[in-house]
Amino acid sequence: MQATPPRALTIAGSDSGGGAGLQADLRTFFANGVHGMSAVTAVTVQNSVGVSDVSEIPPSVVAAQIRAVATDIGVDAAKTGMLATTEIIMAIVAACDEVGIGTSVPLVVDPVAASMHGDQLLRDEALEAYRTELLPRATLVTPNLDEVRLLVGIDVTNADEQRQAAKELHALGARWVLVKGGHMHHDPTCTDLLYDGNDFTELTGPRYDTKHTHGGGDTLAASITASLAKGTSVPDAVAHGKRFIERSVQASYPLGAGVGPVSPLWVLDD
């Protein structure tokens, strides 16, 4: 009988266009040799052009999904994506506390607040729940620069501001912080900054000239989560995720009338 693979859970919204959200997470888990499970938080009406509608799942149902898989199949690492409301966040926090996610089980928090088209995916009042309830339970938080501005009020335009943002996010309780630099478009390279409260690690890679990057943040966080599910350390998991997303962006493709998705369609052999 074949051994059970590592198990990863995504707690996220559904993207009907298949490029981001839990669809991207599950594709990435599979590409990394990990069994993927999901707790759906919201259903978006979405295509390559944008998000036209969102229907939130009842918080009790979101929490029940987490408990169902954790108490039967088990979870080796988990990530969050689109959480939408304070009530959903609080239900997730309660369920995760019950099953050890965020304590004995690593939790990656990708603070999804808006789509790449600028469509808001998080209610304003939910930001405080992110700061006070979710981030203190995070093994790693992976904001882009727009999400940094929402969470700590810093408009990052250079490396010094990126470091200050990492410090302020860490002060909110996350054990590790990865401030992504992809939105600093003036730089021909892309530098993400990892911080553990003491040391900074810069992860620099090429910036690709493509608009087909839908689902890139989800794919990065999911590949890190997959590595953590295998027992990898946070710095090694982040380095793996950085390599994985670079290759996924290289393989991105057009889809529909707007932007296309990244393509996490292989297992990295490293």
Side-chain angles (χ1 to χ4, degrees):
M1 181 180 296
Q2 189 171 358
T4 302
R7 302 149 297 179
L9 169 66
T10 174
I11 307 167
S14 169
D15 173 2
S16 54
L22 66 87
Q23 286 85 351
D25 292 342
L26 293 174
R27 265 203 316 276
T28 302
F29 291 161
F30 175 79
N32 281 274
V34 171
H35 175 72
M37 303 166 290
S38 61
V40 186
T41 60
V43 175
T44 68
V45 179
Q46 185 172 174
N47 56 22
S48 71
V49 178
V51 180
S52 58
D53 201 1
V54 176
S55 180
E56 296 148 5
I57 303 299
S60 61
V61 176
V62 177
Q65 293 174 83
I66 296 169
R67 295 188 188 99
V69 297
T71 57
D72 172 38
I73 300 169
V75 179
D76 296 309
K79 73 171 289 288
T80 64
M82 176 188 174
L83 304 184
T85 70
T86 300
E87 292 77 15
I88 290 175
I89 292 171
M90 297 307 297
I92 290 167
V93 165
C96 286
D97 284 352
E98 289 178 26
V99 299
I101 294 172
T103 51
S104 58
V105 175
L107 174 64
V108 176
V109 172
D110 185 17
V112 177
S115 75
M116 68 181 297
H117 304 282
D119 301 300
Q120 186 165 333
L121 300 175
L122 179 69
R123 292 186 184 175
D124 293 336
E125 66 271 18
L127 285 171
E128 188 59 24
Y130 255 103
R131 296 185 189 101
T132 61
E133 299 295 336
L134 199 58
L135 291 188
R137 292 166 167 82
T139 306
L140 172 71
V141 60
T142 62
N144 62 33
L145 300 188
D146 294 327
E147 292 154 355
V148 165
R149 183 172 60 253
L150 288 171
L151 288 168
V152 295
I154 297 177
D155 191 5
V156 175
T157 60
N158 57 51
D160 289 340
E161 291 167 347
Q162 193 177 24
R163 290 191 171 217
Q164 183 59 36
K167 289 179 180 179
E168 296 201 17
L169 284 162
H170 187 269
L172 292 175
R175 278 160 272 174
W176 294 79
V177 175
L178 181 68
V179 179
K180 297 179 291 188
H183 290 185
M184 286 195 283
H185 295 295
H186 57 274
D187 195 328
T189 60
C190 176
T191 299
D192 300 336
L193 185 68
L194 182 65
Y195 180 61
D196 68 351
N198 293 304
D199 299 315
F200 294 98
T201 302
E202 293 185 351
L203 298 99
T204 299
R207 185 186 300 281
Y208 295 99
D209 184 19
T210 177
K211 66 178 181 178
H212 305 304
T213 57
H214 184 50
D218 304 310
T219 299
L220 172 63
S223 60
I224 293 170
T225 303
S227 287
L228 292 175
K230 297 176 181 179
T232 306
S233 69
V234 171
D236 287 345
V238 171
H240 166 84
K242 180 75 171 177
R243 294 190 298 273
F244 189 87
I245 190 58
E246 286 174 3
R247 292 183 63 181
S248 297
V249 171
Q250 278 184 295
S252 65
Y253 50 85
L255 193 69
V259 301
V262 300
S263 182
L265 298 179
W266 54 78
V267 177
L268 283 181
D269 185 14
D270 57 9

